[in-house]
Amino acid sequence: MFDDAEVARILAITAHPDDVDFAAAGTIARWTDAGIEVTYCVVTDGDAGELDEDVPRADVPALRRAEQVAAAKCVGVHDVRFLGYPDGRVEATLDLRRDLARVIRQVRPDRLVCPTPERNYARMPASHPDHRAVGSAALDAVYPDARNPFAFPDLRDREDLAPWTVPEVWISGSPSPTHFADVTATFGRKIAALRAHESQTGHMDDLEERIPGRGVPGPADRLRRSGQRGRSGLGQDVAEDLHRVACRLGLQAELLHDLEVAVHL
């Protein structure tokens, strides 16, 4: 797998505004601090999200887009793209695969972050049908669509978007994570990003305690704590868990070698 020093661009694909902040904002803050350019692609506007019923539904998409843009700035992300699919009705269609392949070819990322397409029975919020559909479509867009010059030929012939091979994918919400990123130093910025989604987190006075997971159900379950006292102010170091997948043959061989070494240790 690539060392962060070898990565110039990362694309994070998510289903709803705030998904990326619950899943990986601390990790993303580390990447932008290291000089890596990160782009967000948000498939829906979160227009079916839980909000005060007094808020006109027609105002919700613009509100949630603005919150995501503000949250992105908290962790050093300034390129946020929205696809405008209907919240709660996303399916892994050819149209979505094409739209994600387009963004991949535009951004040309060295690393891609997306939700898991698997149902996670230990973390039901991570298994929202939109998350699973977006994860499935994103992985199909990575392979084979974005790299194949004959997949969605209009992308190349009419939009002048050359094929692109994404070397590696980091999957959030996986039932079998392979990597725990220490985000103790960036935890405060993660909280700031989540607070920027005021329509979703404004009522959570205990948001900081929910995130590391202290028996509180919900998005908190997406984090693990290392068991060592750290700098988070919560008594322990904080980590975000992801499943790393090599998508280029050479990287796949390296990953298999690392797994074999780990098995024999």
Tab-separated table of all heavy atoms in Angstrom, residues 1-2 142-143 147 165-169 244-260:
chain	number	residue	atom	x	y	z
A	1	MET	N	0.841	-1.196	0.000
A	1	MET	CA	0.000	0.000	0.000
A	1	MET	C	0.878	1.248	0.000
A	1	MET	O	2.006	1.229	0.473
A	1	MET	CB	-0.902	0.006	1.224
A	1	MET	CG	-1.759	-1.258	1.377
A	1	MET	SD	-2.952	-1.507	0.055
A	1	MET	CE	-4.191	-0.316	0.508
A	2	PHE	N	0.329	2.330	-0.528
A	2	PHE	CA	1.072	3.570	-0.597
A	2	PHE	C	1.286	4.163	0.795
A	2	PHE	O	0.389	4.163	1.638
A	2	PHE	CB	0.331	4.610	-1.436
A	2	PHE	CG	0.478	4.430	-2.922
A	2	PHE	CD1	-0.330	5.139	-3.781
A	2	PHE	CD2	1.402	3.566	-3.452
A	2	PHE	CE1	-0.217	4.995	-5.150
A	2	PHE	CE2	1.542	3.409	-4.818
A	2	PHE	CZ	0.721	4.130	-5.670
A	142	VAL	N	-14.454	2.172	-9.636
A	142	VAL	CA	-13.002	1.989	-9.552
A	142	VAL	C	-12.553	0.875	-10.487
A	142	VAL	O	-11.603	1.020	-11.266
A	142	VAL	CB	-12.577	1.680	-8.104
A	142	VAL	CG1	-11.123	1.195	-8.050
A	142	VAL	CG2	-12.749	2.909	-7.227
A	143	TYR	N	-13.253	-0.267	-10.376
A	143	TYR	CA	-12.958	-1.406	-11.247
A	143	TYR	C	-14.260	-2.079	-11.647
A	143	TYR	O	-15.022	-2.512	-10.778
A	143	TYR	CB	-12.057	-2.433	-10.536
A	143	TYR	CG	-11.778	-3.628	-11.421
A	143	TYR	CD1	-10.755	-3.569	-12.366
A	143	TYR	CD2	-12.559	-4.782	-11.344
A	143	TYR	CE1	-10.524	-4.653	-13.211
A	143	TYR	CE2	-12.331	-5.853	-12.186
A	143	TYR	CZ	-11.311	-5.781	-13.119
A	143	TYR	OH	-11.085	-6.832	-13.957
A	147	ARG	N	-11.082	2.767	-15.178
A	147	ARG	CA	-9.828	2.394	-15.840
A	147	ARG	C	-10.029	1.867	-17.258
A	147	ARG	O	-9.072	1.769	-18.022
A	147	ARG	CB	-9.086	1.346	-15.010
A	147	ARG	CG	-9.777	-0.017	-14.959
A	147	ARG	CD	-8.900	-1.064	-14.287
A	147	ARG	NE	-8.739	-0.811	-12.866
A	147	ARG	CZ	-7.895	-1.490	-12.093
A	147	ARG	NH1	-7.146	-2.449	-12.611
A	147	ARG	NH2	-7.809	-1.218	-10.812
A	165	THR	N	-6.655	4.558	-13.344
A	165	THR	CA	-6.615	3.420	-12.432
A	165	THR	C	-6.359	3.912	-11.015
A	165	THR	O	-5.330	4.538	-10.743
A	165	THR	CB	-5.518	2.424	-12.834
A	165	THR	OG1	-5.817	1.903	-14.134
A	165	THR	CG2	-5.440	1.265	-11.840
A	166	VAL	N	-7.298	3.663	-10.130
A	166	VAL	CA	-7.134	4.014	-8.715
A	166	VAL	C	-6.303	2.919	-8.057
A	166	VAL	O	-6.705	1.757	-8.040
A	166	VAL	CB	-8.499	4.127	-8.009
A	166	VAL	CG1	-8.310	4.462	-6.530
A	166	VAL	CG2	-9.368	5.179	-8.696
A	167	PRO	N	-5.146	3.254	-7.484
A	167	PRO	CA	-4.283	2.207	-6.916
A	167	PRO	C	-4.847	1.531	-5.669
A	167	PRO	O	-4.641	0.336	-5.467
A	167	PRO	CB	-2.982	2.948	-6.589
A	167	PRO	CG	-3.011	4.179	-7.439
A	167	PRO	CD	-4.464	4.555	-7.526
A	168	GLU	N	-5.567	2.285	-4.816
A	168	GLU	CA	-6.041	1.686	-3.566
A	168	GLU	C	-7.319	2.344	-3.088
A	168	GLU	O	-7.584	3.515	-3.363
A	168	GLU	CB	-4.967	1.767	-2.476
A	168	GLU	CG	-4.520	3.172	-2.130
A	168	GLU	CD	-3.383	3.178	-1.108
A	168	GLU	OE1	-2.427	2.417	-1.287
A	168	GLU	OE2	-3.476	3.951	-0.134
A	169	VAL	N	-8.119	1.549	-2.369
A	169	VAL	CA	-9.387	2.015	-1.817
A	169	VAL	C	-9.389	1.774	-0.317
A	169	VAL	O	-8.970	0.709	0.153
A	169	VAL	CB	-10.577	1.275	-2.470
A	169	VAL	CG1	-11.888	1.692	-1.810
A	169	VAL	CG2	-10.633	1.548	-3.974
A	244	ARG	N	-8.537	-1.486	4.019
A	244	ARG	CA	-7.724	-1.059	2.875
A	244	ARG	C	-7.682	-2.156	1.817
A	244	ARG	O	-7.441	-3.323	2.133
A	244	ARG	CB	-6.318	-0.690	3.328
A	244	ARG	CG	-6.292	0.448	4.343
A	244	ARG	CD	-4.903	0.993	4.568
A	244	ARG	NE	-4.000	-0.001	5.124
A	244	ARG	CZ	-2.719	0.227	5.424
A	244	ARG	NH1	-2.210	1.435	5.202
A	244	ARG	NH2	-1.971	-0.713	5.934
A	245	VAL	N	-7.887	-1.755	0.572
A	245	VAL	CA	-7.915	-2.702	-0.545
A	245	VAL	C	-6.962	-2.205	-1.634
A	245	VAL	O	-7.062	-1.049	-2.072
A	245	VAL	CB	-9.340	-2.830	-1.131
A	245	VAL	CG1	-9.346	-3.794	-2.313
A	245	VAL	CG2	-10.325	-3.279	-0.061
A	246	ALA	N	-6.050	-3.068	-2.067
A	246	ALA	CA	-5.156	-2.747	-3.179
A	246	ALA	C	-5.858	-3.055	-4.490
A	246	ALA	O	-6.440	-4.129	-4.652
A	246	ALA	CB	-3.863	-3.547	-3.060
A	247	CYS	N	-5.819	-2.123	-5.413
A	247	CYS	CA	-6.537	-2.286	-6.685
A	247	CYS	C	-5.592	-2.440	-7.876
A	247	CYS	O	-6.044	-2.696	-8.980
A	247	CYS	CB	-7.442	-1.085	-6.932
A	247	CYS	SG	-8.609	-0.778	-5.607
A	248	ARG	N	-4.299	-2.248	-7.657
A	248	ARG	CA	-3.322	-2.423	-8.721
A	248	ARG	C	-2.551	-3.694	-8.449
A	248	ARG	O	-2.218	-3.987	-7.299
A	248	ARG	CB	-2.383	-1.208	-8.788
A	248	ARG	CG	-1.869	-0.903	-10.174
A	248	ARG	CD	-1.224	0.452	-10.232
A	248	ARG	NE	-0.082	0.559	-9.333
A	248	ARG	CZ	0.544	1.701	-9.057
A	248	ARG	NH1	0.101	2.816	-9.582
A	248	ARG	NH2	1.577	1.720	-8.243
A	249	LEU	N	-2.222	-4.451	-9.484
A	249	LEU	CA	-1.653	-5.783	-9.292
A	249	LEU	C	-0.418	-5.763	-8.417
A	249	LEU	O	-0.254	-6.594	-7.534
A	249	LEU	CB	-1.344	-6.413	-10.656
A	249	LEU	CG	-2.570	-6.811	-11.488
A	249	LEU	CD1	-2.133	-7.389	-12.820
A	249	LEU	CD2	-3.432	-7.810	-10.724
A	250	GLY	N	0.473	-4.816	-8.627
A	250	GLY	CA	1.686	-4.759	-7.823
A	250	GLY	C	1.383	-4.533	-6.361
A	250	GLY	O	1.979	-5.146	-5.480
A	251	LEU	N	0.401	-3.649	-6.092
A	251	LEU	CA	0.017	-3.379	-4.705
A	251	LEU	C	-0.678	-4.581	-4.090
A	251	LEU	O	-0.531	-4.858	-2.900
A	251	LEU	CB	-0.903	-2.155	-4.647
A	251	LEU	CG	-0.251	-0.803	-4.955
A	251	LEU	CD1	-1.295	0.296	-4.937
A	251	LEU	CD2	0.857	-0.488	-3.966
A	252	GLN	N	-1.449	-5.321	-4.903
A	252	GLN	CA	-2.093	-6.520	-4.383
A	252	GLN	C	-1.057	-7.531	-3.928
A	252	GLN	O	-1.196	-8.159	-2.881
A	252	GLN	CB	-2.992	-7.129	-5.463
A	252	GLN	CG	-4.228	-6.306	-5.756
A	252	GLN	CD	-5.011	-6.840	-6.933
A	252	GLN	OE1	-4.541	-7.719	-7.642
A	252	GLN	NE2	-6.205	-6.317	-7.138
A	253	ALA	N	0.020	-7.679	-4.697
A	253	ALA	CA	1.079	-8.611	-4.330
A	253	ALA	C	1.746	-8.178	-3.032
A	253	ALA	O	2.038	-9.000	-2.152
A	253	ALA	CB	2.109	-8.700	-5.455
A	254	GLU	N	1.968	-6.867	-2.886
A	254	GLU	CA	2.575	-6.350	-1.655
A	254	GLU	C	1.665	-6.630	-0.457
A	254	GLU	O	2.141	-7.025	0.612
A	254	GLU	CB	2.818	-4.849	-1.784
A	254	GLU	CG	3.897	-4.472	-2.787
A	254	GLU	CD	3.997	-2.963	-2.943
A	254	GLU	OE1	3.463	-2.257	-2.066
A	254	GLU	OE2	4.592	-2.507	-3.920
A	255	LEU	N	0.361	-6.405	-0.633
A	255	LEU	CA	-0.574	-6.613	0.462
A	255	LEU	C	-0.631	-8.082	0.860
A	255	LEU	O	-0.619	-8.421	2.046
A	255	LEU	CB	-1.967	-6.123	0.061
A	255	LEU	CG	-3.060	-6.219	1.128
A	255	LEU	CD1	-2.668	-5.411	2.360
A	255	LEU	CD2	-4.385	-5.717	0.574
A	256	LEU	N	-0.660	-8.988	-0.122
A	256	LEU	CA	-0.667	-10.417	0.174
A	256	LEU	C	0.600	-10.817	0.909
A	256	LEU	O	0.571	-11.625	1.840
A	256	LEU	CB	-0.810	-11.219	-1.123
A	256	LEU	CG	-2.204	-11.191	-1.769
A	256	LEU	CD1	-2.159	-11.876	-3.125
A	256	LEU	CD2	-3.229	-11.865	-0.867
A	257	HIS	N	1.733	-10.247	0.502
A	257	HIS	CA	2.996	-10.547	1.192
A	257	HIS	C	2.929	-10.094	2.647
A	257	HIS	O	3.332	-10.825	3.556
A	257	HIS	CB	4.156	-9.850	0.481
A	257	HIS	CG	5.458	-9.947	1.224
A	257	HIS	ND1	6.188	-11.118	1.302
A	257	HIS	CD2	6.150	-9.030	1.960
A	257	HIS	CE1	7.277	-10.915	2.027
A	257	HIS	NE2	7.269	-9.661	2.436
A	258	ASP	N	2.388	-8.867	2.863
A	258	ASP	CA	2.279	-8.350	4.232
A	258	ASP	C	1.383	-9.245	5.077
A	258	ASP	O	1.658	-9.503	6.252
A	258	ASP	CB	1.724	-6.924	4.214
A	258	ASP	CG	2.717	-5.926	3.621
A	258	ASP	OD1	3.900	-6.278	3.507
A	258	ASP	OD2	2.289	-4.814	3.259
A	259	LEU	N	0.282	-9.746	4.493
A	259	LEU	CA	-0.614	-10.621	5.218
A	259	LEU	C	0.070	-11.944	5.571
A	259	LEU	O	-0.098	-12.466	6.671
A	259	LEU	CB	-1.876	-10.872	4.395
A	259	LEU	CG	-2.832	-9.689	4.256
A	259	LEU	CD1	-3.946	-10.028	3.271
A	259	LEU	CD2	-3.416	-9.296	5.597
A	260	GLU	N	0.853	-12.478	4.625
A	260	GLU	CA	1.558	-13.727	4.885
A	260	GLU	C	2.584	-13.560	6.001
A	260	GLU	O	2.722	-14.410	6.869
A	260	GLU	CB	2.255	-14.206	3.608
A	260	GLU	CG	1.277	-14.687	2.523
A	260	GLU	CD	1.980	-15.006	1.230
A	260	GLU	OE1	3.213	-14.785	1.152
A	260	GLU	OE2	1.320	-15.458	0.291
